[in-house]
Amino acid sequence: MRDAVDGRQSLWVVPHEVPAIVPLPSRSTEPRWVGVYRWAAVGGDLLAAMLGVSIALLTRFGYHVGSGYLIVSSVLPLAWVGAVALSRGYDRRYFGAGPDEFRSLLRSGVGLTAAVAMASYVTKTEIARGFVVLAIPVMVGSALVLRYALRKDLHRHRLRGRCMHRVLVVGRSAPAATLCEHLESRPSDGFRVVATCRPRGDGHPTGPMQPDELAEPDILAAADRHAVEAVAIATDPELAGQSLRRLSWALEQRGIELIVSPGIIEVAGPRISVRPVAGLSLLHLERPSVSGGPHLMKAVFDRVLALSMIVVLAPLLLGLAVAVRLSSPGPVLFRQQRVGRAGVEFTMLKFRSMYADAEQRLGDLYALSDGNGVIFKLRDDPRMTPLGRWIRRFSLDELPQLFNVLRGDMSLVGPRPPLSEEVALYAADDSRRMLVKPGITGLWQVSGRSDLSWDESVRLDLRYVDNWSMTLDLLILWKTVRAVIYGAGAY
């Protein structure tokens, strides 16, 4: 088929005209699990609203509740569900994937508070502030907990291969293979690639590809044949502009979602925005935040929280210091030179977990390393003391780094602090890790720690640097607690 714009041979078969009425294959508008999830979410939000209202009524008025507050308490749960719906909290696109579900609940809480205040002002109705201040936060908090539990249950089903979105990937062999690999690398996101559609004459892929790949370039026929719910377009300049627009119209009539991969990897949504310019939708990539006001806030947050943890954990720190001192001869603290932000070296502190002559014995053990080729790690390291093995299991040896945070050498969250010999092996891209301060914990800590390969460790650190935010820091701190409890990858 010829391209209508410049007469070149088109790689893809897409409709040039979309008639007003097209006979389409019969398919349900949405999978059954979507409806079950949506009704479960609505039920959970109603339950959370009733819980918040009940706690507020009992706390504020006891068992003597006026008729006016009974009416308000009856309307508030329905208003809450309506606010969540307006914030797209029941949109199937966000079910089980990304933080948008939680953001919608937070936005709904803020919006509902504003709506109650405005309604009270307009109708000149006196509503006790204590009732509102207690009811809505409890409502939002309970809804977040219930939605989190519902989401985790959906993830468990997806790990078993259920509740998945059937996806057709369209693109040339190499980009399509990469997109397939990324879509199925995290089953919890809910994408199952059932087929790939490649242009005529495109060779077989050399990388990993789904076994049910297609040579047929007719995208609509392939989508109908495999009853897909989404078509994912890998980066391809031949399938863009008017052709992509016509394809989106045809897929819209079939109730199929269109996903377009821009080819940008490891960049989070907050840095990406779409801006209309001269009739085009241009993807704008914001620069990563590595300095300025946000990082000043991060520095203040780090020091305040580190100081608070030192005060709270003082008995534990003293107890561990005494235990290390008595466990074997040698100093309590292990000091090591590490490379920090902008390549500046600093002395990192840890509780000593090995015998005093560990550094002298290191050369004899290099051949036995369980590390990733750059970092030396040994699962059953003979230099480790019995107490050291235990405190490493729960990352207690790293608690003295709280003093590094107070001094400004480190952050609570950041890339792993490297040795100078590791930095000497860095490629040009790897040096971006040193744009921010190293952290006591980070994406590497909550993603496997010593079980990660070198490339995976670098990729996680670069992802953190490129997508840093205070929200990401708080999420990593929350996940660190779980990683420390289970001790995955710690040795």
Side-chain angles (χ1 to χ4, degrees):
M1 183 177 292
R2 294 284 174 181
D3 191 285
V5 178
D6 57 10
R8 292 180 300 168
Q9 183 68 32
S10 177
L11 290 170
W12 312 98
V13 178
V14 294
H16 276 251
E17 295 181 1
V18 180
I21 300 177
V22 179
L24 304 176
S26 62
R27 66 174 73 182
S28 59
T29 55
E30 59 183 20
R32 180 175 176 272
W33 71 265
V34 173
V36 172
Y37 189 98
R38 181 176 290 119
W39 281 111
V42 171
D45 290 342
L46 282 173
L47 180 62
M50 290 187 287
L51 179 64
V53 166
S54 301
I55 291 176
L57 286 175
L58 290 174
T59 302
R60 183 65 178 81
F61 305 107
Y63 295 99
H64 305 285
V65 183
S67 58
Y69 279 99
L70 289 178
I71 295 174
V72 171
S73 301
S74 301
V75 173
L76 206 55
L78 298 177
W80 167 246
V81 171
V84 175
L86 289 174
S87 299
R88 307 179 74 177
Y90 306 122
D91 194 324
R92 61 175 288 186
R93 289 181 296 174
Y94 304 134
F95 288 171
D100 296 275
E101 276 188 289
F102 303 130
R103 288 200 192 101
S104 67
L105 294 176
L106 294 174
R107 286 196 302 267
S108 301
V110 174
L112 186 60
T113 303
V116 170
M118 188 177 298
S120 174
Y121 175 77
V122 170
T123 61
K124 293 182 170 37
T125 303
E126 291 292 332
I127 299 179
R129 285 173 294 187
F131 172 78
V132 177
V133 167
L134 187 58
I136 295 181
V138 171
M139 190 184 304
V140 174
S142 303
L144 286 170
V145 171
L146 292 173
R147 189 65 69 93
Y148 176 79
L150 181 62
R151 189 176 171 204
K152 296 301 289 186
D153 182 64
L154 177 61
H155 288 177
R156 283 191 289 270
H157 282 286
R158 285 177 169 175
L159 290 175
R160 298 185 182 98
R162 300 193 290 265
C163 304
M164 306 291 280
H165 298 288
R166 295 171 59 85
V167 181
L168 169 70
V169 171
V170 178
R172 295 180 180 274
S173 295
T178 301
L179 182 56
C180 287
E181 186 177 354
H182 280 277
L183 286 177
E184 295 208 320
S185 62
R186 289 179 51 183
S188 60
D189 286 344
F191 292 104
R192 176 190 292 153
V193 180
V194 296
T196 60
C197 189
R198 296 176 289 114
R200 293 188 180 100
D202 196 25
H204 286 280
T206 57
M209 200 57 133
Q210 297 306 309
D212 190 16
E213 67 175 297
L214 299 173
E216 170 60 56
D218 189 340
I219 301 171
L220 297 179
D224 294 337
R225 182 184 311 159
H226 292 271
V228 300
E229 301 162 60
V231 170
I233 308 295
T235 307
D236 194 307
E238 297 291 343
L239 188 58
Q242 191 64 21
S243 297
L244 188 59
R245 190 184 186 195
R246 288 194 301 267
L247 176 62
S248 70
W249 291 339
L251 293 176
E252 179 185 349
Q253 290 183 336
R254 287 165 165 76
I256 300 175
E257 185 178 358
L258 178 64
I259 304 170
V260 180
S261 169
I264 302 173
I265 62 173
E266 304 293 358
V267 177
R271 284 187 57 205
I272 298 176
S273 59
V274 177
R275 301 179 184 176
V277 178
L280 299 175
S281 296
L282 301 184
L283 196 68
H284 188 84
L285 198 62
E286 303 286 351
R287 290 182 296 176
S289 175
V290 295
S291 61
H295 275 264
L296 177 61
M297 181 175 64
K298 174 182 171 69
V300 173
F301 172 80
D302 283 342
R303 285 176 167 84
V304 170
L305 186 55
L307 181 59
S308 303
M309 292 179 67
I310 289 172
V311 172
V312 172
L313 299 176
L316 176 61
L317 292 170
L318 291 174
L320 287 172
V322 172
V324 171
R325 182 66 175 151
L326 297 177
S327 65
S328 63
V332 171
L333 294 177
F334 174 71
R335 293 174 169 84
Q336 191 175 44
Q337 291 298 112
R338 296 291 180 112
V339 181
R341 185 179 182 183
V344 177
E345 292 194 359
F346 68 97
T347 302
M348 190 182 73
L349 304 176
K350 299 177 73 172
F351 280 125
R352 181 174 57 84
S353 59
M354 295 184 175
Y355 293 104
D357 62 345
E359 291 295 306
Q360 289 74 31
R361 297 164 59 186
L362 178 60
D364 301 330
L365 300 173
Y366 262 118
L368 304 175
S369 175
D370 295 321
N372 51 33
V374 177
I375 303 173
F376 175 83
K377 287 286 184 179
L378 192 58
R379 193 174 295 273
D380 296 315
D381 198 323
R383 304 172 299 159
M384 201 174 298
T385 66
L387 175 66
R389 199 175 302 278
W390 182 79
I391 64 175
R392 279 203 177 190
R393 166 70 172 75
F394 297 102
S395 299
L396 298 176
D397 61 319
E398 298 177 2
L399 288 178
Q401 292 169 31
L402 291 171
F403 293 97
N404 286 116
V405 176
L406 274 182
R407 291 192 314 200
D409 298 326
M410 296 180 64
S411 174
L412 289 175
V413 182
R416 192 188 66 81
L419 296 165
S420 56
E421 50 265 33
E422 295 172 16
V423 175
L425 299 175
Y426 277 5
D429 294 344
D430 302 345
S431 300
R432 286 184 60 83
R433 302 166 84 186
M434 293 185 290
L435 288 176
V436 298
K437 292 178 183 178
I440 298 178
T441 185
L443 283 176
W444 49 274
Q445 176 90 357
V446 299
S447 304
R449 289 189 271 187
S450 298
D451 290 336
L452 296 172
S453 68
W454 173 252
D455 289 339
E456 289 172 328
S457 177
V458 171
R459 179 177 57 83
L460 290 172
D461 283 343
L462 293 180
R463 179 193 297 177
Y464 175 82
V465 172
D466 284 341
N467 301 296
W468 175 84
S469 67
M470 283 302 301
T471 303
L472 179 59
D473 273 10
L474 294 174
L475 180 62
I476 291 173
L477 288 172
W478 171 256
K479 289 188 174 183
T480 297
V481 176
R482 184 176 60 183
V484 168
I485 292 174
Y486 289 104
Y491 54 89

